[in-house]
Amino acid sequence: MIKYILYVEEDFPSLRNLQGGFTLIQRFEGKFAVGIKQTLKHLNNGEGDRVYIALNADKDLVGPVVKLAQEKSVEIVYVESKKELGRLCGIDVGAATAITL
């Protein structure tokens, strides 16, 4: 399943919004991994329930992540930019992908 939304309320139960179930967040909560290599590693190990991909990431680089996530029936959520995904992960640089564990 692929979603083209930025944030999903069910990912962040401590942040509730009464307007349609979507919430803007400051940072991911819980366990997650950042980067293409780490995302692929966790997908191959059958770990992770949702993959986040930056819309401005190089399609050739994130293509294997998208393919493997679809094969493993892991939900894909697209985020506006690498910079935004990096910020959500709490790092000072951009990130092409991340996975919640």
Side-chain angles (χ1 to χ4, degrees):
M1 173 190 244
I2 298 175
K3 289 190 176 183
Y4 290 94
I5 56 177
L6 192 50
Y7 311 108
V8 191
E9 182 183 76
E10 65 216 36
D11 290 339
F12 313 100
S14 65
L15 300 170
R16 298 286 185 212
N17 181 345
L18 300 176
Q19 297 176 341
F22 298 103
T23 276
L24 293 178
I25 61 165
Q26 296 299 315
R27 187 168 174 218
F28 285 146
E29 295 177 350
K31 292 185 178 187
F32 60 92
V34 182
I36 294 170
K37 286 183 187 179
Q38 290 297 312
T39 302
L40 286 171
K41 178 180 106 174
H42 287 290
L43 285 172
N44 278 318
N45 290 338
E47 302 167 341
D49 53 5
R50 185 167 289 139
V51 170
Y52 294 85
I53 298 176
L55 285 172
N56 65 341
D58 185 327
K59 304 303 180 219
D60 292 334
L61 295 177
V62 298
V65 173
V66 172
K67 182 178 178 185
L68 188 56
Q70 290 172 338
E71 288 174 6
K72 302 277 185 172
S73 298
V74 174
E75 183 177 11
I76 299 171
V77 178
Y78 287 92
V79 178
E80 183 179 343
S81 68
K82 293 187 290 187
K83 182 177 180 179
E84 178 67 10
L85 185 53
R87 186 189 68 74
L88 291 171
C89 294
I91 59 176
D92 292 330
V93 295
T97 67
I99 186 169
T100 54
L101 305 172

